[in-house]
Short mmCIF file of all heavy atoms in Angstrom, two decimals:
data_model
loop_
_atom_site.label_atom_id
_atom_site.label_comp_id
_atom_site.label_asym_id
_atom_site.label_seq_id
_atom_site.Cartn_x
_atom_site.Cartn_y
_atom_site.Cartn_z
N MET A 1 79.60 -21.11 -71.01
CA MET A 1 80.24 -21.57 -69.79
C MET A 1 80.13 -23.09 -69.66
O MET A 1 79.06 -23.65 -69.74
CB MET A 1 79.59 -20.92 -68.55
CG MET A 1 79.79 -19.42 -68.48
SD MET A 1 81.52 -18.96 -68.25
CE MET A 1 81.32 -17.17 -68.07
N ALA A 2 81.24 -23.74 -69.44
CA ALA A 2 81.22 -25.19 -69.31
C ALA A 2 81.42 -25.61 -67.86
O ALA A 2 81.68 -26.76 -67.56
CB ALA A 2 82.31 -25.81 -70.17
N THR A 3 81.27 -24.66 -66.97
CA THR A 3 81.44 -24.97 -65.56
C THR A 3 80.17 -25.62 -65.01
O THR A 3 79.19 -25.78 -65.72
CB THR A 3 81.77 -23.70 -64.77
OG1 THR A 3 80.77 -22.74 -65.05
CG2 THR A 3 83.11 -23.15 -65.19
N ALA A 4 80.21 -25.98 -63.77
CA ALA A 4 79.06 -26.65 -63.15
C ALA A 4 77.82 -25.78 -63.24
O ALA A 4 77.88 -24.58 -63.00
CB ALA A 4 79.36 -26.95 -61.69
N PRO A 5 76.70 -26.37 -63.63
CA PRO A 5 75.46 -25.59 -63.72
C PRO A 5 74.97 -25.16 -62.35
O PRO A 5 75.32 -25.78 -61.34
CB PRO A 5 74.48 -26.58 -64.36
CG PRO A 5 75.00 -27.93 -63.98
CD PRO A 5 76.51 -27.77 -63.93
N ASN A 6 74.19 -24.10 -62.35
CA ASN A 6 73.62 -23.71 -61.06
C ASN A 6 72.52 -24.69 -60.67
O ASN A 6 72.11 -25.53 -61.46
CB ASN A 6 73.12 -22.27 -61.09
CG ASN A 6 71.96 -22.08 -62.05
OD1 ASN A 6 71.08 -22.92 -62.14
ND2 ASN A 6 71.94 -20.96 -62.74
N SER A 7 72.07 -24.61 -59.48
CA SER A 7 71.14 -25.61 -58.96
C SER A 7 69.82 -25.62 -59.74
O SER A 7 69.23 -26.66 -59.94
CB SER A 7 70.86 -25.36 -57.48
OG SER A 7 70.36 -24.06 -57.30
N ASP A 8 69.39 -24.45 -60.21
CA ASP A 8 68.14 -24.41 -60.97
C ASP A 8 68.27 -25.21 -62.27
O ASP A 8 67.39 -25.97 -62.63
CB ASP A 8 67.77 -22.97 -61.31
CG ASP A 8 67.23 -22.23 -60.09
OD1 ASP A 8 66.91 -22.91 -59.10
OD2 ASP A 8 67.14 -21.00 -60.14
N ASP A 9 69.42 -25.03 -62.97
CA ASP A 9 69.61 -25.77 -64.21
C ASP A 9 69.68 -27.27 -63.94
O ASP A 9 69.15 -28.07 -64.68
CB ASP A 9 70.90 -25.32 -64.89
CG ASP A 9 70.72 -23.97 -65.61
OD1 ASP A 9 69.56 -23.57 -65.78
OD2 ASP A 9 71.72 -23.37 -65.97
N ALA A 10 70.35 -27.64 -62.86
CA ALA A 10 70.46 -29.05 -62.54
C ALA A 10 69.08 -29.66 -62.27
O ALA A 10 68.78 -30.75 -62.73
CB ALA A 10 71.37 -29.23 -61.33
N LEU A 11 68.27 -28.92 -61.56
CA LEU A 11 66.93 -29.41 -61.27
C LEU A 11 66.12 -29.54 -62.55
O LEU A 11 65.40 -30.50 -62.75
CB LEU A 11 66.22 -28.47 -60.29
CG LEU A 11 66.72 -28.57 -58.85
CD1 LEU A 11 66.10 -27.45 -58.01
CD2 LEU A 11 66.35 -29.92 -58.25
N LEU A 12 66.27 -28.54 -63.43
CA LEU A 12 65.53 -28.58 -64.68
C LEU A 12 65.99 -29.75 -65.54
O LEU A 12 65.17 -30.46 -66.12
CB LEU A 12 65.72 -27.26 -65.44
CG LEU A 12 65.00 -27.21 -66.79
CD1 LEU A 12 63.49 -27.36 -66.58
CD2 LEU A 12 65.33 -25.93 -67.52
N ASP A 13 67.29 -29.97 -65.61
CA ASP A 13 67.80 -31.10 -66.38
C ASP A 13 67.22 -32.41 -65.88
O ASP A 13 66.79 -33.26 -66.65
CB ASP A 13 69.33 -31.17 -66.29
CG ASP A 13 69.99 -30.16 -67.21
OD1 ASP A 13 69.28 -29.53 -68.00
OD2 ASP A 13 71.22 -30.02 -67.13
N GLN A 14 67.19 -32.56 -64.58
CA GLN A 14 66.63 -33.78 -64.01
C GLN A 14 65.15 -33.91 -64.35
O GLN A 14 64.67 -34.97 -64.71
CB GLN A 14 66.82 -33.78 -62.49
CG GLN A 14 66.47 -35.11 -61.85
CD GLN A 14 67.32 -36.26 -62.42
OE1 GLN A 14 68.52 -36.16 -62.50
NE2 GLN A 14 66.67 -37.32 -62.84
N PHE A 15 64.46 -32.78 -64.28
CA PHE A 15 63.03 -32.77 -64.63
C PHE A 15 62.84 -33.21 -66.07
O PHE A 15 61.98 -34.05 -66.37
CB PHE A 15 62.49 -31.35 -64.41
CG PHE A 15 61.08 -31.15 -64.88
CD1 PHE A 15 60.04 -31.75 -64.21
CD2 PHE A 15 60.83 -30.36 -65.99
CE1 PHE A 15 58.74 -31.55 -64.65
CE2 PHE A 15 59.53 -30.16 -66.43
CZ PHE A 15 58.47 -30.76 -65.75
N LEU A 16 63.64 -32.66 -66.98
CA LEU A 16 63.50 -33.00 -68.39
C LEU A 16 63.87 -34.45 -68.63
O LEU A 16 63.22 -35.15 -69.41
CB LEU A 16 64.39 -32.08 -69.23
CG LEU A 16 63.94 -30.61 -69.21
CD1 LEU A 16 64.97 -29.76 -69.93
CD2 LEU A 16 62.57 -30.45 -69.83
N LYS A 17 64.91 -34.94 -67.99
CA LYS A 17 65.30 -36.34 -68.15
C LYS A 17 64.19 -37.26 -67.68
O LYS A 17 63.89 -38.28 -68.29
CB LYS A 17 66.59 -36.64 -67.38
CG LYS A 17 67.83 -36.06 -68.04
CD LYS A 17 69.08 -36.58 -67.36
CE LYS A 17 70.35 -36.08 -68.06
NZ LYS A 17 70.73 -34.74 -67.66
N ASN A 18 63.56 -36.88 -66.58
CA ASN A 18 62.47 -37.69 -66.07
C ASN A 18 61.32 -37.78 -67.08
O ASN A 18 60.59 -38.76 -67.12
CB ASN A 18 61.94 -37.10 -64.76
CG ASN A 18 62.93 -37.32 -63.62
OD1 ASN A 18 63.85 -38.14 -63.73
ND2 ASN A 18 62.75 -36.59 -62.54
N ARG A 19 61.17 -36.74 -67.88
CA ARG A 19 60.12 -36.74 -68.88
C ARG A 19 60.56 -37.41 -70.17
O ARG A 19 59.77 -37.54 -71.10
CB ARG A 19 59.69 -35.29 -69.19
CG ARG A 19 58.98 -34.63 -68.01
CD ARG A 19 58.70 -33.18 -68.30
NE ARG A 19 57.87 -33.02 -69.50
CZ ARG A 19 57.69 -31.86 -70.12
NH1 ARG A 19 58.27 -30.78 -69.70
NH2 ARG A 19 56.91 -31.80 -71.17
N GLY A 20 61.82 -37.80 -70.26
CA GLY A 20 62.28 -38.53 -71.41
C GLY A 20 62.65 -37.68 -72.60
O GLY A 20 62.69 -38.16 -73.72
N HIS A 21 62.92 -36.37 -72.37
CA HIS A 21 63.30 -35.49 -73.48
C HIS A 21 64.80 -35.47 -73.66
O HIS A 21 65.56 -35.53 -72.71
CB HIS A 21 62.81 -34.07 -73.22
CG HIS A 21 61.35 -33.90 -73.43
ND1 HIS A 21 60.79 -33.65 -74.66
CD2 HIS A 21 60.32 -33.95 -72.57
CE1 HIS A 21 59.49 -33.56 -74.54
NE2 HIS A 21 59.17 -33.73 -73.27
N ASP A 22 65.22 -35.33 -74.92
CA ASP A 22 66.61 -35.08 -75.22
C ASP A 22 66.82 -33.57 -75.26
O ASP A 22 66.39 -32.91 -76.19
CB ASP A 22 66.97 -35.70 -76.57
CG ASP A 22 68.43 -35.46 -76.93
OD1 ASP A 22 69.10 -34.69 -76.23
OD2 ASP A 22 68.88 -36.05 -77.92
N THR A 23 67.47 -33.04 -74.25
CA THR A 23 67.57 -31.59 -74.14
C THR A 23 68.62 -31.01 -75.08
O THR A 23 68.75 -29.81 -75.20
CB THR A 23 67.95 -31.19 -72.70
OG1 THR A 23 69.16 -31.82 -72.35
CG2 THR A 23 66.85 -31.59 -71.73
N ASP A 24 69.36 -31.85 -75.80
CA ASP A 24 70.41 -31.34 -76.67
C ASP A 24 69.95 -31.09 -78.10
O ASP A 24 70.64 -30.49 -78.88
CB ASP A 24 71.58 -32.32 -76.70
CG ASP A 24 72.28 -32.39 -75.36
OD1 ASP A 24 72.31 -31.37 -74.67
OD2 ASP A 24 72.78 -33.47 -75.03
N SER A 25 68.80 -31.59 -78.46
CA SER A 25 68.41 -31.55 -79.87
C SER A 25 67.24 -30.62 -80.16
O SER A 25 66.80 -30.52 -81.28
CB SER A 25 68.07 -32.96 -80.36
OG SER A 25 66.95 -33.44 -79.67
N LEU A 26 66.74 -29.93 -79.14
CA LEU A 26 65.59 -29.08 -79.35
C LEU A 26 66.01 -27.66 -79.71
O LEU A 26 67.04 -27.18 -79.29
CB LEU A 26 64.72 -29.05 -78.09
CG LEU A 26 64.03 -30.37 -77.78
CD1 LEU A 26 63.38 -30.29 -76.41
CD2 LEU A 26 63.00 -30.71 -78.83
N GLU A 27 65.18 -27.01 -80.50
CA GLU A 27 65.40 -25.60 -80.83
C GLU A 27 64.07 -24.88 -80.68
O GLU A 27 63.01 -25.49 -80.62
CB GLU A 27 65.88 -25.48 -82.28
CG GLU A 27 67.25 -26.09 -82.51
CD GLU A 27 67.73 -25.86 -83.94
OE1 GLU A 27 66.96 -25.27 -84.72
OE2 GLU A 27 68.85 -26.27 -84.23
N TRP A 28 64.18 -23.55 -80.67
CA TRP A 28 62.96 -22.75 -80.65
C TRP A 28 62.10 -23.09 -81.87
O TRP A 28 62.61 -23.29 -82.97
CB TRP A 28 63.29 -21.27 -80.72
CG TRP A 28 63.95 -20.71 -79.51
CD1 TRP A 28 65.26 -20.32 -79.40
CD2 TRP A 28 63.35 -20.44 -78.23
NE1 TRP A 28 65.49 -19.84 -78.14
CE2 TRP A 28 64.35 -19.89 -77.41
CE3 TRP A 28 62.06 -20.61 -77.73
CZ2 TRP A 28 64.09 -19.50 -76.09
CZ3 TRP A 28 61.81 -20.22 -76.42
CH2 TRP A 28 62.82 -19.68 -75.62
N GLU A 29 60.83 -23.09 -81.69
CA GLU A 29 59.92 -23.18 -82.82
C GLU A 29 59.39 -21.78 -83.10
O GLU A 29 59.24 -20.96 -82.19
CB GLU A 29 58.78 -24.14 -82.49
CG GLU A 29 59.30 -25.56 -82.29
CD GLU A 29 58.19 -26.52 -81.87
OE1 GLU A 29 57.04 -26.26 -82.22
OE2 GLU A 29 58.50 -27.49 -81.20
N ALA A 30 59.12 -21.51 -84.36
CA ALA A 30 58.64 -20.18 -84.74
C ALA A 30 57.13 -20.18 -84.82
O ALA A 30 56.52 -21.10 -85.36
CB ALA A 30 59.24 -19.77 -86.08
N SER A 31 56.52 -19.14 -84.26
CA SER A 31 55.08 -19.02 -84.31
C SER A 31 54.69 -17.55 -84.31
O SER A 31 54.98 -16.84 -83.36
CB SER A 31 54.45 -19.74 -83.12
OG SER A 31 53.05 -19.66 -83.16
N TYR A 32 54.09 -17.09 -85.39
CA TYR A 32 53.65 -15.69 -85.49
C TYR A 32 54.79 -14.71 -85.17
O TYR A 32 54.64 -13.79 -84.39
CB TYR A 32 52.45 -15.43 -84.57
CG TYR A 32 51.29 -16.31 -84.89
CD1 TYR A 32 51.02 -17.44 -84.11
CD2 TYR A 32 50.47 -16.03 -85.98
CE1 TYR A 32 49.95 -18.26 -84.42
CE2 TYR A 32 49.40 -16.85 -86.30
CZ TYR A 32 49.14 -17.96 -85.51
OH TYR A 32 48.09 -18.78 -85.82
N ASN A 33 55.96 -14.96 -85.77
CA ASN A 33 57.13 -14.09 -85.59
C ASN A 33 57.64 -14.07 -84.16
O ASN A 33 58.39 -13.20 -83.78
CB ASN A 33 56.84 -12.67 -86.07
CG ASN A 33 56.62 -12.62 -87.58
OD1 ASN A 33 57.24 -13.37 -88.32
ND2 ASN A 33 55.75 -11.75 -88.01
N LYS A 34 57.22 -15.02 -83.38
CA LYS A 34 57.76 -15.15 -82.04
C LYS A 34 58.40 -16.53 -81.90
O LYS A 34 58.20 -17.40 -82.73
CB LYS A 34 56.65 -14.99 -80.99
CG LYS A 34 56.12 -13.58 -80.89
CD LYS A 34 54.96 -13.51 -79.90
CE LYS A 34 54.40 -12.11 -79.79
NZ LYS A 34 55.18 -11.25 -78.92
N LYS A 35 59.17 -16.68 -80.84
CA LYS A 35 59.73 -17.99 -80.53
C LYS A 35 58.76 -18.75 -79.65
O LYS A 35 58.16 -18.19 -78.73
CB LYS A 35 61.04 -17.82 -79.77
CG LYS A 35 62.19 -17.30 -80.62
CD LYS A 35 63.39 -17.09 -79.74
CE LYS A 35 64.62 -16.73 -80.57
NZ LYS A 35 65.78 -16.45 -79.69
N GLN A 36 58.64 -20.03 -79.94
CA GLN A 36 57.79 -20.87 -79.10
C GLN A 36 58.63 -21.94 -78.44
O GLN A 36 59.38 -22.67 -79.10
CB GLN A 36 56.69 -21.51 -79.95
CG GLN A 36 55.70 -22.30 -79.10
CD GLN A 36 54.51 -22.78 -79.91
OE1 GLN A 36 54.61 -22.99 -81.11
NE2 GLN A 36 53.39 -22.94 -79.25
N CYS A 37 58.51 -22.03 -77.14
CA CYS A 37 59.26 -23.02 -76.39
C CYS A 37 58.80 -24.43 -76.77
O CYS A 37 57.60 -24.72 -76.73
CB CYS A 37 59.04 -22.79 -74.89
SG CYS A 37 59.79 -24.05 -73.86
N PRO A 38 59.74 -25.31 -77.15
CA PRO A 38 59.36 -26.67 -77.52
C PRO A 38 58.94 -27.52 -76.32
O PRO A 38 58.36 -28.58 -76.48
CB PRO A 38 60.62 -27.22 -78.18
CG PRO A 38 61.73 -26.45 -77.56
CD PRO A 38 61.18 -25.07 -77.31
N GLU A 39 59.26 -27.04 -75.13
CA GLU A 39 58.92 -27.80 -73.94
C GLU A 39 57.52 -27.48 -73.43
O GLU A 39 56.75 -28.38 -73.09
CB GLU A 39 59.93 -27.51 -72.83
CG GLU A 39 61.26 -28.21 -73.04
CD GLU A 39 61.11 -29.73 -72.98
OE1 GLU A 39 60.26 -30.21 -72.21
OE2 GLU A 39 61.85 -30.41 -73.70
N CYS A 40 57.19 -26.19 -73.34
CA CYS A 40 55.91 -25.84 -72.73
C CYS A 40 55.02 -25.02 -73.66
O CYS A 40 53.93 -24.61 -73.28
CB CYS A 40 56.14 -25.09 -71.43
SG CYS A 40 56.79 -23.43 -71.66
N SER A 41 55.52 -24.75 -74.90
CA SER A 41 54.74 -24.05 -75.92
C SER A 41 54.47 -22.58 -75.60
O SER A 41 53.63 -21.96 -76.23
CB SER A 41 53.41 -24.77 -76.18
OG SER A 41 53.66 -26.07 -76.66
N ALA A 42 55.20 -22.01 -74.63
CA ALA A 42 55.04 -20.60 -74.31
C ALA A 42 55.65 -19.76 -75.43
O ALA A 42 56.65 -20.13 -76.02
CB ALA A 42 55.71 -20.28 -72.99
N LEU A 43 55.03 -18.62 -75.73
CA LEU A 43 55.55 -17.72 -76.75
C LEU A 43 56.44 -16.66 -76.13
O LEU A 43 56.14 -16.15 -75.05
CB LEU A 43 54.39 -17.06 -77.49
CG LEU A 43 53.57 -18.00 -78.38
CD1 LEU A 43 52.35 -17.25 -78.91
CD2 LEU A 43 54.41 -18.53 -79.52
N HIS A 44 57.52 -16.32 -76.87
CA HIS A 44 58.47 -15.32 -76.39
C HIS A 44 58.86 -14.40 -77.51
O HIS A 44 58.78 -14.76 -78.68
CB HIS A 44 59.72 -16.01 -75.82
CG HIS A 44 59.43 -16.90 -74.66
ND1 HIS A 44 59.20 -16.42 -73.41
CD2 HIS A 44 59.28 -18.23 -74.60
CE1 HIS A 44 58.96 -17.44 -72.61
NE2 HIS A 44 58.99 -18.55 -73.30
N GLN A 45 59.37 -13.21 -77.16
CA GLN A 45 59.92 -12.30 -78.16
C GLN A 45 61.09 -12.98 -78.86
O GLN A 45 61.75 -13.86 -78.29
CB GLN A 45 60.40 -11.01 -77.50
CG GLN A 45 59.30 -10.25 -76.76
CD GLN A 45 58.21 -9.77 -77.69
OE1 GLN A 45 58.45 -9.48 -78.84
NE2 GLN A 45 56.99 -9.68 -77.18
N SER A 46 61.37 -12.54 -80.10
CA SER A 46 62.46 -13.15 -80.86
C SER A 46 63.81 -12.93 -80.20
O SER A 46 64.78 -13.62 -80.51
CB SER A 46 62.48 -12.61 -82.28
OG SER A 46 62.64 -11.21 -82.27
N SER A 47 63.91 -11.96 -79.31
CA SER A 47 65.17 -11.69 -78.61
C SER A 47 65.36 -12.58 -77.39
O SER A 47 66.42 -12.55 -76.77
CB SER A 47 65.22 -10.23 -78.19
OG SER A 47 64.13 -9.93 -77.35
N ALA A 48 64.36 -13.37 -77.05
CA ALA A 48 64.46 -14.20 -75.86
C ALA A 48 65.56 -15.25 -76.03
O ALA A 48 65.72 -15.81 -77.11
CB ALA A 48 63.12 -14.89 -75.59
N SER A 49 66.32 -15.49 -74.98
CA SER A 49 67.36 -16.51 -75.05
C SER A 49 67.00 -17.75 -74.24
O SER A 49 67.64 -18.78 -74.34
CB SER A 49 68.70 -15.95 -74.56
OG SER A 49 68.57 -15.50 -73.23
N LYS A 50 65.96 -17.62 -73.41
CA LYS A 50 65.49 -18.78 -72.67
C LYS A 50 64.01 -18.63 -72.37
O LYS A 50 63.47 -17.52 -72.43
CB LYS A 50 66.29 -18.95 -71.37
CG LYS A 50 66.05 -17.85 -70.36
CD LYS A 50 66.83 -18.10 -69.10
CE LYS A 50 66.23 -19.23 -68.27
NZ LYS A 50 66.91 -19.40 -66.97
N CYS A 51 63.39 -19.72 -72.06
CA CYS A 51 61.97 -19.69 -71.74
C CYS A 51 61.78 -19.18 -70.31
O CYS A 51 62.36 -19.72 -69.38
CB CYS A 51 61.38 -21.09 -71.89
SG CYS A 51 59.64 -21.15 -71.44
N SER A 52 60.99 -18.12 -70.17
CA SER A 52 60.77 -17.58 -68.83
C SER A 52 59.71 -18.36 -68.08
O SER A 52 59.45 -18.13 -66.91
CB SER A 52 60.37 -16.11 -68.93
OG SER A 52 59.17 -15.98 -69.67
N VAL A 53 59.06 -19.30 -68.76
CA VAL A 53 58.01 -20.09 -68.11
C VAL A 53 58.59 -21.36 -67.48
O VAL A 53 58.42 -21.62 -66.30
CB VAL A 53 56.91 -20.45 -69.12
CG1 VAL A 53 55.86 -21.34 -68.48
CG2 VAL A 53 56.28 -19.18 -69.67
N CYS A 54 59.32 -22.14 -68.29
CA CYS A 54 59.84 -23.40 -67.77
C CYS A 54 61.36 -23.39 -67.64
O CYS A 54 61.95 -24.32 -67.11
CB CYS A 54 59.39 -24.57 -68.64
SG CYS A 54 60.20 -24.63 -70.25
N GLY A 55 62.02 -22.32 -68.16
CA GLY A 55 63.47 -22.22 -68.01
C GLY A 55 64.26 -22.88 -69.11
O GLY A 55 65.49 -22.86 -69.09
N TRP A 56 63.59 -23.48 -70.11
CA TRP A 56 64.30 -24.14 -71.19
C TRP A 56 65.09 -23.13 -72.01
O TRP A 56 64.66 -21.99 -72.19
CB TRP A 56 63.30 -24.86 -72.08
CG TRP A 56 63.94 -25.49 -73.28
CD1 TRP A 56 64.50 -26.72 -73.34
CD2 TRP A 56 64.11 -24.90 -74.58
NE1 TRP A 56 64.99 -26.94 -74.61
CE2 TRP A 56 64.77 -25.84 -75.38
CE3 TRP A 56 63.76 -23.67 -75.12
CZ2 TRP A 56 65.09 -25.59 -76.71
CZ3 TRP A 56 64.08 -23.41 -76.45
CH2 TRP A 56 64.73 -24.37 -77.24
N ASN A 57 66.25 -23.53 -72.52
CA ASN A 57 66.95 -22.72 -73.51
C ASN A 57 67.67 -23.66 -74.48
O ASN A 57 67.94 -24.81 -74.14
CB ASN A 57 67.90 -21.72 -72.84
CG ASN A 57 69.15 -22.38 -72.34
OD1 ASN A 57 70.05 -22.72 -73.12
ND2 ASN A 57 69.22 -22.59 -71.04
N PRO A 58 67.94 -23.17 -75.70
CA PRO A 58 68.46 -24.06 -76.76
C PRO A 58 69.95 -24.31 -76.70
O PRO A 58 70.48 -25.00 -77.55
CB PRO A 58 68.09 -23.30 -78.04
CG PRO A 58 68.15 -21.87 -77.63
CD PRO A 58 67.64 -21.84 -76.20
N GLU A 59 70.64 -23.76 -75.72
CA GLU A 59 72.10 -23.84 -75.70
C GLU A 59 72.62 -25.00 -74.86
O GLU A 59 73.81 -25.13 -74.66
CB GLU A 59 72.68 -22.52 -75.18
CG GLU A 59 72.33 -21.38 -76.12
CD GLU A 59 72.87 -20.06 -75.65
OE1 GLU A 59 73.51 -20.04 -74.58
OE2 GLU A 59 72.65 -19.05 -76.32
N ARG A 60 71.75 -25.83 -74.37
CA ARG A 60 72.19 -26.96 -73.58
C ARG A 60 71.93 -28.25 -74.35
O ARG A 60 71.03 -28.34 -75.11
CB ARG A 60 71.43 -27.02 -72.25
CG ARG A 60 71.78 -25.86 -71.35
CD ARG A 60 71.14 -26.06 -70.00
NE ARG A 60 71.52 -27.32 -69.40
CZ ARG A 60 72.64 -27.51 -68.70
NH1 ARG A 60 73.44 -26.53 -68.52
NH2 ARG A 60 72.93 -28.67 -68.20
ZN1 ZN B 101 59.05 -23.28 -71.81
#
């Protein structure tokens, strides 16, 4: 979807920008057959499409 992001995504984007991260170039990191969030290092099942801890996802 290329439409306007919801308010949560907008807030997260602003949060990430404030921290100086490039949100377009990050991908999941692999750890023990799970996905690891590059933002907060939380581990997720390989089927996860976004981080349930900080809300990060690799599609933005
Ligand atoms: Zn995270």
Side-chain angles (χ1 to χ4, degrees):
M1 295 294 185
T3 54
N6 65 39
S7 57
D8 285 346
D9 283 346
L11 285 171
L12 179 61
D13 281 352
Q14 189 59 49
F15 173 70
L16 293 174
K17 286 189 176 82
N18 288 344
R19 292 174 59 193
H21 284 275
D22 180 351
T23 58
D24 292 328
S25 64
L26 292 172
E27 294 184 358
W28 291 108
E29 296 177 27
S31 181
Y32 301 101
N33 294 326
K34 290 176 181 279
K35 289 176 173 177
Q36 185 173 28
C37 175
E39 284 295 326
C40 71
S41 299
L43 291 173
H44 298 283
Q45 300 297 329
S46 59
S47 59
S49 59
K50 67 178 287 186
C51 178
S52 61
V53 177
C54 72
W56 176 87
N57 77 75
E59 297 179 0
R60 293 187 56 84

